[in-house]
Amino acid sequence: AYVTTRTSGRVARIRLSDNTVVASIVVGGTPDAVDIAPNGQFAYVLDIAGGRVVRIRTSDNAVVAFPKVTTGTLGQVSIAPDSSYAYVASDGAAGVGGLLRVRTSDDTVVSTTAGGFDAVDISPSGAFAYVTDNHSVHRVNTTTNAIGAEIWTGNFSRDVEISPDGTFAYATVQLLGDAVRITGTVAEVNGLTTLNARGGINRMALAGILLIAAMVDIRWQKNRTRIISKVYVAPTYHALPPPPPTEIGQGGPFEQNDKLRDVELIGLGRIEAPEDVILDRNDNLYAGSRHGDIMRFLAPDYQQMEVFAHIGGTPLGMAFDRDFNLNVCVGGMGLYRVTPEREVQRVTDET
């Protein structure tokens, strides 16, 4: 994995087998977006402020090229399936930039599709590039560089990704869209994209759906009284028996009493926030604490206290199994087992 760091002007290469940084590659400038060529030979890093595309040879982590492709601000980069071209999205400030097509064999910009774009991704066939601007996703023919379908996604469209089979495009939208409410979530691009419908047709279809919904709502408001009168069920009265008495001397099951007056407090001021308690076969008492310990109070008087085991987290419910192992639910961690020899074993971390 290759990770860019803006402040240091470096790219970290991470070995995923043990999550170790094996190289720190100096590229300078403000590195941000990165993509790997499908053939695995090169990593392409965008210096977004400097307008450069830095090409790193993955075999030895050497920077082999860093051409300046625009004076605008770069957004994202995506490599063609055959690794022959790098497509770079640029904001198109001051009339420069747009979607830049860079030939990877000699790092030359061979074509430009005018516009101001934030992100780009290439379809699996390599026939189309999908780019985002401030409110839409555009489909660009990579052969003719012509902009085709425009899909309205809502204000502040940012990233775009194409599914592996090329069936769907997914775009992130920061603010509310026109037809659906999208707030900082991933929105699936409207199915009219597959019909090559332009933005105007797309918006007309969505407007038609809204008009139909409004008509249904108007008819409901007009006829709801008649509909409700036909389906309304009148309530009936059902008398409940009188509640049992609670006064002292009345003999009711909920009669006030003082049977718990002489309870004995165990571990008062010695254990914090016990959630559950349980007795073992020898009548020893176990309870969890907020420090992640399982405390044991020894029978018969339960005055002697010891740490039976330390699990961590917040021990909750407890139960013994047939082998006298103590099973403990730990909030946010899963289910743990403590053997009679006090060995802590993780049963599962699926909670």
Side-chain angles (χ1 to χ4, degrees), residues 289 292-297 305-311 342:
S289 75
D293 297 322
I294 303 298
M295 310 302 297
R296 179 165 67 177
F297 296 87
M305 182 183 74
E306 63 179 2
V307 177
F308 180 67
H310 177 77
I311 300 177
R342 303 189 182 188

Side-chain angles (χ1 to χ4, degrees), residues 4-273:
T4 58
T5 305
R6 285 188 176 188
T7 55
S8 66
R10 294 174 178 266
V11 177
R13 184 182 185 184
I14 300 174
R15 185 172 56 220
L16 298 182
S17 60
D18 56 1
N19 299 321
T20 301
V21 177
V22 295
S24 181
I25 307 164
V26 178
V27 297
T30 311
D32 186 80
V34 60
D35 196 18
I36 309 298
N39 61 18
Q41 296 180 1
F42 296 97
Y44 293 82
V45 180
L46 296 189
D47 173 9
I48 60 172
R52 300 182 304 140
V53 179
V54 181
R55 182 156 59 102
I56 301 173
R57 188 167 53 223
T58 57
S59 59
D60 57 1
N61 302 319
V63 175
V64 296
F66 43 89
K68 187 177 182 67
V69 296
T70 181
T71 56
T73 301
L74 301 181
Q76 286 190 0
V77 58
S78 184
I79 311 302
D82 61 359
S83 303
S84 59
Y85 293 96
Y87 293 84
V88 181
S90 172
D91 64 359
V96 298
L99 178 63
L100 310 175
R101 187 183 185 191
V102 181
R103 188 168 53 219
T104 57
S105 59
D106 57 2
D107 304 300
T108 301
V109 179
V110 295
S111 63
T112 302
T113 301
F117 306 120
D118 295 304
V120 58
D121 197 22
I122 307 301
S123 64
S125 66
F128 298 100
Y130 291 81
V131 293
T132 62
D133 60 14
N134 193 43
H135 52 72
S136 300
V137 174
H138 301 269
R139 190 175 72 173
V140 180
N141 188 306
T142 56
T143 302
T144 64
N145 300 319
I147 297 180
E150 175 190 359
I151 307 98
W152 176 270
T153 55
N155 291 332
F156 293 96
S157 301
R158 285 296 181 253
D159 199 4
V160 62
E161 288 290 333
I162 310 301
S163 62
D165 60 1
T167 305
F168 296 100
Y170 297 85
T172 57
V173 183
Q174 288 186 349
L175 298 183
L176 300 182
D178 271 0
V180 293
R181 293 177 63 86
I182 306 171
T183 308
T185 59
V186 176
E188 186 173 310
V189 175
N190 191 288
L192 291 173
T193 306
T194 59
L195 301 178
N196 199 26
R198 296 188 62 84
I201 299 176
N202 198 343
R203 286 190 285 273
M204 287 180 62
L206 296 176
I209 294 173
L210 290 176
L211 286 175
I212 293 173
M215 292 175 60
V216 172
D217 183 65
I218 291 173
R219 292 183 66 85
W220 162 252
Q221 294 290 341
K222 182 178 179 180
N223 299 288
R224 65 176 181 174
T225 302
R226 181 170 31 176
I227 296 173
I228 291 175
S229 65
K230 291 182 177 181
V231 301
Y232 181 73
V233 178
T236 186
Y237 175 76
H238 178 69
L240 296 176
T246 59
E247 292 78 7
I248 298 176
Q250 295 296 319
F254 305 117
E255 179 182 346
Q256 300 180 38
N257 61 78
D258 59 357
K259 294 180 180 179
L260 297 179
R261 174 177 294 177
D262 298 326
V263 297
E264 179 182 354
L265 300 178
I266 300 174
L268 180 63
R270 302 166 65 192
I271 182 173
E272 296 186 40

